[in-house]
Amino acid sequence: MSGVDRGVTGRQPQAVRSALAVLEEVARAGAGVNAKEVAEALGLPPATTYRLLNLLVGEEYLVRLPDLHGFALGAKVAGLAGGFTPARVPTAARQVLGELRGRVRAGVHLVLVVGASLRCADVDPDLPLASTALVEGHLHASALGHLVLAEADDWRAVVHHPDRLPALTPATPTRAAEVDACLARVRAVGWAGQVGQLHEGVGCLAVPVRGASGLLVAAVAVSSARGVVPTEYLDAARDCAGALAPLLD
């Protein structure tokens, strides 16, 4: 009979369990894991694994990496995590961000730093980030991530599978020497910048927000689709970070 909810019946519970197992395996293995590796780890038939991966991509729980060589967690997973741990940004801090947004012709974003993790806390509503999940999940490929990795004694201990960094674009640093060079520049100048490493044609600069103890607690990012690092806004971003520091410490 149509219109009657019969609940979860037949083979559906196993299908749900298999889909969740695939999602958990991608989270465990890290970005760049491929269908064959997921199938082998779970003991699932390859055809079933491909079908479940495609389903999870279609529902935005996973994303297929641009090089088509693997998968990563998607926006909906980040949204679920965010629902349990909402980012709290003081009203005064939002006002500071609003002032900078009114002065620049680029996206202005606040990202909180918790340990070695990023949390996009206040994304520019007019010029938003293309994917907060990619920003939070691929520290090797963004200016914000480079700030975090530059704080670590050994960045290889921070990222998942440092020997298999996914190429999100042709410009993404995927070799250890390339990441080392990016982090050396950050340590030398005190801020991070990149073009096309996370999204082709998008440039970004990131300025640290430090607490009274010097600990990195957040970062202000300025992003532009002009294909260059928007360094003309560096001083303004630094002023913004300075104003935010006592509000976020």
Side-chain angles (χ1 to χ4, degrees):
M1 292 182 294
S2 62
V4 177
D5 183 0
R6 298 180 182 275
V8 179
T9 60
R11 297 182 179 179
Q12 292 178 1
Q14 182 56 46
V16 171
R17 283 193 289 269
S18 295
L20 291 174
V22 168
L23 187 61
E24 290 174 352
E25 178 58 23
V26 173
R28 185 199 66 78
V33 64
N34 60 39
K36 180 181 179 182
E37 292 168 332
V38 173
E40 290 177 349
L42 298 177
L44 290 174
T48 299
T49 304
Y50 280 113
R51 185 169 64 252
L52 292 172
L53 286 167
N54 287 331
L55 173 65
L56 291 167
V57 169
E59 295 296 325
E60 299 182 3
Y61 288 101
L62 296 178
V63 294
R64 190 185 301 273
L65 297 181
D67 60 6
L68 300 180
H69 290 161
F71 299 85
L73 297 179
K76 282 191 176 178
V77 174
L80 287 173
F84 292 107
T85 56
R88 292 183 175 87
V89 179
T91 300
R94 295 188 188 277
Q95 291 173 344
V96 171
L97 292 168
E99 291 172 2
L100 179 57
R101 287 169 182 155
R103 295 168 53 194
V104 305
R105 301 181 67 179
V108 174
H109 322 284
L110 174 66
V111 177
L112 302 182
V113 178
V114 182
S117 299
L118 293 176
R119 178 72 189 282
C120 297
D122 192 316
V123 175
D124 195 314
D126 297 319
L127 296 168
L129 295 167
S131 171
T132 58
L134 290 183
V135 170
E136 295 174 351
H138 299 284
L139 301 182
H140 70 291
S142 73
L144 289 158
H146 294 168
L147 282 182
V148 172
L149 296 182
E151 297 287 300
D153 293 331
D154 183 3
W155 64 266
R156 295 162 186 80
V158 175
V159 302
H160 295 293
H161 300 293
D163 57 339
R164 195 181 66 199
L165 298 173
L168 304 181
T169 75
T172 304
T174 57
R175 292 182 293 184
E178 295 171 337
V179 177
D180 286 336
C182 291
L183 304 188
R185 287 194 294 271
V186 172
R187 296 183 183 114
V189 300
W191 60 278
Q194 61 83 18
V195 178
Q197 294 183 5
L198 190 67
H199 301 289
E200 291 190 64
V202 177
C204 181
L205 66 82
V207 175
V209 178
R210 298 189 181 277
S213 65
L215 185 69
L216 181 66
V217 297
V220 174
V222 180
S223 61
S224 170
R226 293 186 291 114
V228 296
V229 178
T231 52
E232 67 270 29
Y233 302 132
L234 177 58
D235 288 342
R238 282 174 164 161
D239 290 343
C240 180
L244 288 171
L247 303 175
L248 300 176
D249 192 8

